[in-house]
Amino acid sequence: MEALRRPALPEDAVRYRLFAAAAAGPGGEALLRRCAEVLLVRFAPLLAAYVWQRQPFRLRYVPRRGETPAHIGGTTLFGDNVEDEWFIVYLVREITREFPGLAARIDDNDGEFLLIEAADFLPKWLNPENSENRVFFYKGELHIIPLSETPEQDCDLSAPCPTIPQALALLSSRSEEFLAAEPIRAAVNKRIDGYPEKIQASLHRARCFLPAGIVAVLRQRPSLVAAAVQAFYLRDPGDLRACRRPFRTFPAEQRVMALVTFTRCLYAQLVQQKFVPDRRSGYTLPAPSHPQYRAYELGMKLAHGFEILCSKSSKVAPDTKRNVLSGPLWERFLRSLKEKDYFKGEMEGSAKYMELLHMAEDHFQQSVAPESSVEVSPGDEILTLLQTTSIDLKEFEREAASLPPEDDDSWLDITPDALDQMLKEARNESLPSTNEEEQKYDLETVAESMKAFVSKVSSHEGAEMPWSSDESHVTFDVDSFTKALDRILGADSEELDSDDLDEEEEFDFSDGDDEDLDAGNQRQDQKMSPEELVGSLKSYMNEMDRELAQTNVGKSFTTKKRGASSVEAATSESAGPDSGAEDAELAPVDVDMNLHRSRGKLVKG
């Protein structure tokens, strides 16, 4: 099978492949390559502003391999930010909506993770073993190719998994038959609901006290903040060797206040890390009570991340790198952005225009540049930018004096109620009603069905009825039962176990307590017969029933209806003369009903 031959995906990676639903023909490669360029230009306004955790969304042409036809696609490492994965799901769905000739497959190391999201609504026949090549986005909707009920069809769908060409042929000719059920589509769409607006909501802007060089670099390549946070967050002792001396690339002397844009995931990773800088590095922190302590701490951590990246640079000269921001492809890319009003009417050369241009260049280098371009490490790119970017410290200081306010980070603290609500939404369920009158079922019927079920015997094939009394007889030894009961309730003092002795020694009993214990021991020495013991227990229980009957606890119990049992009625009539009006009001409790209600309260609580 193809699933066995393909390499396993990393745990934090998502793979996406877009196929031509109909046979592409001789010009299929050129058509797919052109499609990849058009797609990334079409979605450039979204992608240019997005900060990826590890790797960006990237489409490349992939030639035919075995049974897998030629396609465009890629694999993206999303690291700890699973929202990157679901943003890619949104992109793939929108691509198939705007380009109806494409059908998309998307999976990760868990396989068909879209089905996991809709697990409560899947058909019974669908399982991980037969779901390969059955789940596609096509024309903007999720499709699932079912098992064939008529094996005589041209495409043998009765096989565990169809091949991709078989699946594509079916989608192109009979896609309306394979549209996923509405609850399945709703579950997946709910997970990606809110894009593209959700992109801005996932960002967090915070003040950081940073070296001026880092401020200049982030002006040119805002996405480098992710690489710096990851370098600091995943640091090892070897990485910190570069931080145990005065920083070579980003010394602490020339620092300014700046507003840095993170994703919430990156910000949380940076804030939650406990780190004390080496005194030799030059980075010192004010007292925690200082009003700018958080900005100093964030800037220190970010500076360590940038210094670690530069210490790993290959020291390759910038002129040996391929300049991808030139040539007809870049010109077409830039022209398309202008046509789609990406620059929002800003004058060419203005600060806002240059900021948007730098973001577009960053996106183009990461996602659109040809496969033949040399991969540039973050450290190399940072050093190149430092050599080609002017740093105006006084301008940075003037801007720092009028920075906009940073975002509120109270979202880091989740209250118990908010957590319960999140879990409830994730389960897509609501809590059961606490009003018993709103329950639509009969408690007595439920109790009887439960008794009928537990009376059966379970085996590997399910519950079975018990054997008949002819096959297996039940015997009851009265003497053994009496002796066991006597050992439990009538044990002598010398039969106490070690735990009882330890508990007795732990407390300091008063003289009055000793007298009570002596009296109790004398009474214990007078052995009671089994009949007397049972009678004594019944009297205690009857007395407890009388006391409980007048309390809220007793009134909360459900009692059996009068006349339900002739035996109970006879017992009530044969009560002794000492039983007063209270005994007349007492009725046996319905054990099954009370247990059922108790279980319901525990579940609700």
Side-chain angles (χ1 to χ4, degrees):
M1 292 176 58
E2 181 187 1
L4 298 178
R5 293 195 299 269
R6 72 167 187 257
L9 290 171
E11 291 185 0
D12 57 349
V14 57
R15 179 177 59 173
Y16 37 92
R17 294 173 290 175
L18 293 103
F19 304 91
E29 178 178 349
L31 180 64
L32 287 173
R33 288 184 181 275
R34 176 61 180 162
C35 189
E37 295 177 12
V38 172
L39 286 173
L40 288 174
V41 171
R42 162 66 182 81
F43 291 97
L46 285 180
L47 297 172
Y50 196 86
V51 180
W52 299 95
Q53 182 82 7
R54 293 282 301 277
Q55 292 179 344
F57 177 76
R58 181 183 298 150
L59 292 178
R60 294 286 187 264
Y61 174 77
V62 181
R64 180 184 181 91
R65 295 176 183 173
E67 294 182 343
T68 303
H71 60 277
I72 54 176
T75 301
T76 295
L77 291 173
F78 54 82
D80 294 323
N81 191 4
V82 72
E83 285 303 319
D84 282 3
E85 182 177 31
W86 287 105
F87 178 50
I88 290 175
V89 173
Y90 165 78
L91 290 173
V92 169
R93 186 192 69 177
E94 293 304 300
I95 287 173
T96 62
R97 177 168 292 163
E98 297 201 17
F99 295 82
L102 294 177
R105 291 265 297 115
I106 184 167
D107 57 354
D108 60 14
N109 71 299
D110 290 325
E112 307 295 338
F113 68 95
L114 298 179
L115 298 183
I116 298 175
E117 193 68 21
D120 294 337
F121 312 105
L122 297 181
K124 293 182 178 181
W125 62 264
L126 193 59
N127 57 61
E129 287 71 29
N130 63 17
S131 61
E132 181 75 16
N133 299 333
R134 295 190 185 276
V135 184
F136 288 84
F137 273 116
Y138 186 55
K139 297 181 180 180
E141 296 290 352
L142 191 68
H143 289 69
I144 299 177
I145 299 177
L147 294 174
S148 175
E149 297 181 0
T150 54
E152 295 79 16
Q153 288 180 344
D154 295 336
C155 295
D156 183 12
L157 294 184
S158 62
C161 299
T163 63
I164 291 181
Q166 286 176 331
L168 295 176
L170 288 169
L171 285 174
S172 62
S173 61
R174 298 157 47 208
S175 61
E176 64 280 355
E177 300 179 24
F178 309 131
L179 188 66
E182 195 280 332
I184 298 176
R185 288 181 286 135
V188 174
N189 290 336
K190 180 181 178 181
R191 187 61 180 82
I192 57 179
D193 187 37
Y195 284 110
E197 294 78 10
K198 190 185 290 187
I199 296 175
Q200 290 299 318
S202 67
L203 300 178
H204 183 89
R205 298 162 187 85
R207 293 188 177 186
C208 301
F209 195 53
L210 288 168
I214 295 179
V215 177
V217 167
L218 290 178
R219 293 280 179 89
Q220 299 289 320
R221 298 288 183 269
S223 64
L224 285 173
V225 68
V229 172
Q230 291 298 297
F232 175 77
Y233 185 73
L234 302 175
R235 67 191 181 279
D236 57 32
D239 296 333
L240 291 178
R241 281 199 296 266
C243 305
R244 296 195 183 109
R245 57 177 182 268
F247 283 19
R248 295 178 179 177
T249 309
F250 300 107
E253 286 74 23
Q254 296 182 340
R255 282 184 286 175
V256 294
M257 195 68 71
L259 195 68
V260 179
T261 300
F262 304 87
T263 63
R264 287 191 169 188
C265 181
L266 292 171
Y267 179 76
Q269 286 181 325
L270 205 61
V271 168
Q272 300 297 339
Q273 285 276 299
K274 303 298 182 182
F275 181 75
V276 178
D278 193 293
R279 289 177 296 179
R280 293 168 290 182
S281 67
Y283 284 85
T284 57
L285 296 176
S289 58
H290 192 280
Q292 299 293 339
Y293 175 80
R294 175 60 63 86
Y296 274 76
E297 184 185 36
L298 288 174
M300 176 271 296
K301 294 176 179 178
L302 205 54
H304 277 68
F306 273 95
E307 190 73 15
I308 291 172
L309 289 176
C310 292
S311 68
K312 295 181 177 182
S313 171
S314 59
K315 306 297 189 296
V316 178
D319 55 357
T320 63
K321 299 290 183 183
R322 179 184 177 91
N323 185 10
V324 297
L325 298 177
S326 62
L329 183 58
W330 164 251
E331 294 299 329
R332 289 201 306 269
F333 180 77
L334 187 59
R335 184 168 57 252
S336 298
L337 291 180
K338 292 179 179 179
E339 292 173 356
K340 296 181 182 302
D341 195 27
Y342 168 74
F343 293 99
K344 302 175 183 178
E346 295 289 337
M347 290 184 60
E348 189 169 347
S350 66
K352 184 63 177 177
Y353 180 93
M354 296 306 297
E355 180 183 349
L356 293 171
L357 179 62
H358 293 323
M359 293 170 63
E361 292 174 347
D362 193 12
H363 166 61
F364 183 85
Q365 285 185 317
Q366 294 185 69
S367 303
V368 187
E371 295 91 330
S372 58
S373 60
V374 179
E375 188 75 19
V376 181
S377 70
D380 290 337
E381 188 173 1
I382 292 169
L383 293 176
T384 301
L385 289 171
L386 288 175
Q387 295 178 21
T388 58
T389 304
S390 59
I391 300 175
D392 190 344
L393 183 60
K394 292 184 179 180
E395 178 65 22
F396 289 161
E397 290 176 346
R398 283 195 298 269
E399 293 178 358
S402 58
L403 287 177
E406 60 183 354
D407 294 338
D408 182 16
D409 63 358
S410 60
W411 52 268
L412 286 169
D413 302 320
I414 301 178
T415 63
D417 292 339
L419 180 59
D420 290 341
Q421 182 65 24
M422 291 167 60
L423 293 174
K424 188 172 73 172
E425 292 177 356
R427 295 193 303 264
N428 194 25
E429 64 183 24
S430 59
L431 294 177
S433 173
T434 57
N435 187 356
E436 292 186 4
E437 295 179 358
E438 297 178 1
Q439 295 179 356
K440 303 299 183 182
Y441 53 85
D442 186 356
L443 293 181
E444 294 183 1
T445 304
V446 173
E448 291 299 325
S449 64
M450 290 174 61
K451 289 172 61 178
F453 175 77
V454 299
S455 66
K456 298 179 181 181
V457 179
S458 175
S459 71
H460 69 283
E461 296 179 349
E464 299 176 354
M465 293 302 295
W467 292 351
S468 65
S469 57
D470 295 338
E471 299 177 1
S472 177
H473 299 279
V474 177
T475 59
F476 180 72
D477 190 339
V478 179
D479 294 335
S480 299
F481 175 77
T482 304
K483 292 179 180 178
L485 190 64
D486 186 52
R487 284 197 301 270
I488 295 173
L489 300 177
D492 294 330
S493 59
E494 62 268 20
E495 295 177 356
L496 294 173
D497 58 20
S498 59
D499 291 338
D500 297 329
L501 294 174
D502 292 340
E503 292 177 2
E504 184 177 336
E505 294 174 358
E506 185 177 349
F507 297 96
D508 183 16
F509 294 106
S510 63
D511 294 339
D513 294 335
D514 293 339
E515 293 176 0
D516 294 338
L517 289 175
D518 292 340
N521 290 335
Q522 291 176 3
R523 288 192 298 269
Q524 183 68 26
D525 290 339
Q526 300 175 0
K527 294 285 183 139
M528 300 175 65
S529 66
E531 293 78 7
E532 293 173 337
L533 181 60
V534 173
S536 176
L537 286 175
K538 286 184 177 180
S539 64
Y540 279 125
M541 295 176 67
N542 290 335
E543 185 64 28
M544 291 173 61
D545 288 341
R546 293 189 189 92
E547 294 181 5
L548 285 174
Q550 306 305 319
T551 65
N552 291 332
V553 175
K555 295 175 182 178
S556 68
F557 288 135
T558 300
T559 58
K560 292 185 178 180
K561 297 178 181 179
R562 293 289 183 177
S565 172
S566 59
V567 177
E568 293 170 0
T571 304
S572 177
E573 293 174 359
S574 62
D578 295 335
S579 60
E582 292 182 356
D583 291 340
E585 296 178 0
L586 290 179
V589 298
D590 193 327
V591 177
D592 295 327
M593 293 288 289
N594 287 304
L595 283 175
H596 182 74
R597 282 200 170 90
S598 300
R599 178 185 177 277
K601 292 178 181 179
L602 287 174
V603 173
K604 295 171 186 175

